[in-house]
Amino acid sequence: MALREILHFPDTRLRLRAHPVEQVDDSVRQLVDDMFETMYAAPGIGLAATQINVQKRILVADVSEDQTEPHCLINPEIVSREGEEEMDEGCLSVPGFYETVRRAERIRVRALNRDGEVFETEIDGLLAVCIQHEIDHLDGKLFVDYLSTLKRNRIRKKLEKQAARAPSGSPALAGSAAGRL
């Protein structure tokens, strides 16, 4: 397994739409393993392939405290949504910022697992928020897009300033990452 570099907002590559995975093979499974390693090391609770500059519709998530409930969704699609809830979200691609976002409370998702088998599942709570957040990434959307233009621009300017001050080759901001998606 290998750690991958996580892109940071406002990097324009985060706005690219991911392409469906045609076939789940060993290279896709290796990518999934790399994504889990990268997400856990960050540390975060979710990661989309687009966040590591791979334009494939793959996401990984694990909202457990002890990293024992890994979820891999390949070509995920939300087939139904119910209810509404607001939750504070953070993001590995927008380090150090947390804002309240409104999303569906429960979702039903269809996807492929790491063996290429189709499955469908109902999800609620933090995992539902995480999956919706990561699917947004696959569609080129970030959680800051749910914020006002003023807030989004403030975050952009702060991250650009931090990146300009960071030594070459180092992350612009480490900080606490509990709950970052």
Side-chain angles (χ1 to χ4, degrees):
M1 293 197 297
L3 287 176
R4 303 286 189 105
E5 179 183 351
I6 297 173
L7 302 176
H8 290 157
F9 175 73
D11 193 312
T12 57
R13 294 172 291 180
L14 290 166
R15 299 302 187 172
L16 299 174
R17 286 184 62 90
H19 304 289
V21 173
E22 298 296 325
Q23 179 180 354
V24 178
D25 57 17
D26 286 343
S27 69
V28 169
R29 284 185 280 277
Q30 181 62 56
L31 175 60
V32 168
D33 292 344
D34 290 353
M35 289 174 65
F36 274 116
E37 183 176 357
T38 301
M39 178 188 74
Y40 288 138
I45 61 170
L47 185 68
T50 51
Q51 290 178 273
I52 58 169
N53 199 30
V54 175
Q55 308 316 316
K56 294 184 179 182
R57 293 193 71 79
I58 301 171
L59 70 85
V60 296
D62 187 341
V63 299
S64 68
E65 300 251 344
D66 57 358
Q67 301 177 342
T68 58
E69 298 175 24
H71 298 272
C72 165
L73 286 79
I74 300 170
N75 297 338
E77 62 177 297
I78 297 173
V79 294
S80 68
R81 302 171 196 262
E82 290 181 38
E84 193 174 274
E85 70 178 331
E86 290 185 348
M87 192 176 289
D88 280 351
E89 292 186 23
C91 181
L92 293 173
S93 291
V94 188
F97 294 91
Y98 299 87
E99 294 290 340
T100 302
V101 177
R102 182 177 295 144
R103 297 196 186 268
E105 183 178 14
R106 286 174 302 288
I107 58 173
R108 184 164 190 80
V109 179
R110 180 180 307 122
L112 301 175
N113 65 18
R114 68 177 281 126
D115 295 319
E117 300 163 335
V118 177
F119 71 96
E120 212 170 286
T121 186
E122 289 194 24
I123 305 167
D124 62 10
L126 180 58
L127 184 57
V129 168
C130 182
I131 298 297
Q132 291 171 84
H133 178 109
E134 301 310 331
I135 289 175
D136 274 355
H137 274 297
L138 298 177
D139 294 332
K141 187 172 184 175
L142 303 173
F143 91 98
V144 295
D145 297 338
Y146 291 92
L147 309 178
S148 70
T149 303
L150 178 65
K151 277 188 178 181
R152 187 171 45 255
N153 287 338
R154 278 190 198 152
I155 291 170
R156 171 185 279 121
K157 286 178 183 174
K158 285 181 182 179
L159 288 174
E160 286 172 341
K161 188 182 282 187
Q162 290 169 351
R165 281 187 273 158
S168 180
S170 69
L173 190 121
S176 168
R180 289 196 293 184
L181 307 168

